[in-house]
Amino acid sequence: MSPGRTLTCALASLVLLSACGTASEAPTNSADPFLVAIDHEFGTTTIEERPERIVTLGVTDADVVLALGVVPVGNTGFAFFETGLGPWTDDLVEGAELTHIGSDSEPNIEQIATLAPDLIIGVSAGFDASVYESLSQIAPVVARPAGVAAYTVPREDATELIATALGKPDEGAALNEATDELLAETRAAHPEFAGRTGAAVLPYEGKYGAFLAGDARGQFLVSLGFEIPEAITAQDTGESFFVEISPEEVDMLDGNVLLVLGDDEDFDVTEDSPVFDTLDVVGADAIVSTALDQRGAITYNSVLSIPYAIDRLVPRISEALA
């Protein structure tokens, strides 16, 4: 078993206690000790029974549910993976019957109803109020926190919210704590990351998307001790999770390391863009191109995928800096 798989299983095994609770917890009924009320973008949802059949509509929500010891009866996910679930979940879903739901923002309502869920989780989903109302006719629905843009709920908050909905707040806190400790240990083991600059970039349609620190992909580098180049952060208007960069502006990507998000570790982002040749990061041979699973791991940015990403990408980043 690889170190990453070991860390993933260790995090997933933190099933310590079961108790209901949240910042907006409803009074406990002696006849039914499970009663939780959760405030979110579309109102307040009361969960009156401990959920067993859970549909996860948020693209990363299934990771948290799996880490808490429950296999969703239906799930969405990013398009990197056929089932919507990354390879870091393989041990946790082995042998289980899975149902993939094609969209988090416009889901198939009839498909979800057929799954007969007793809880629908859409913390990292993009559905609107009308979809929420339709889903609520099927089962209680937990959406993202009020005032938070779709797909931008921080990992810590998403884990806490989902754990509360499942009646496992202590386990959610333990998962967050273990992930924070792992990141701290990684930074301590790699002091060469501290204060260095690094950008995570996705080539697309002849342009480049450089991810900001508020996005999971930028956050991965920041969590390791890197700083996003100032040329990128200076373009942050607060209205997007990335900065669009034209081929003529690739100097904005310059720094100590460049993480190129793609499907192939051998991909050469400089091949069709001679402008890259002027960058210090290119001269230092400090470009790291991801494989699809690595790209997916930092995009999910969950308590399960972070150990996987650390195991597979941190050694490569360290080597690139060396």
Side-chain angles (χ1 to χ4, degrees), residues 45 53 112 116-120 132 134-142:
T45 293
R53 295 183 59 81
I112 295 172
D118 47 28
L119 178 64
I120 300 171
Y132 170 78
S134 297
L135 293 170
S136 296
Q137 303 304 309
I138 302 172
V141 182
V142 175

Side-chain angles (χ1 to χ4, degrees), residues 2 85 105 129 142 163 173 178 210 219 239 278 320:
S2 71
L85 302 175
S105 57
V142 175
Q219 184 57 47
E239 298 178 354
T278 65

Side-chain angles (χ1 to χ4, degrees), residues 17-18 51 62 91 110 118 124 167 232 239 287:
L17 298 168
S18 290
D91 288 349
E110 293 182 1
D118 47 28
S124 57
I232 295 172
E239 298 178 354
I287 295 181

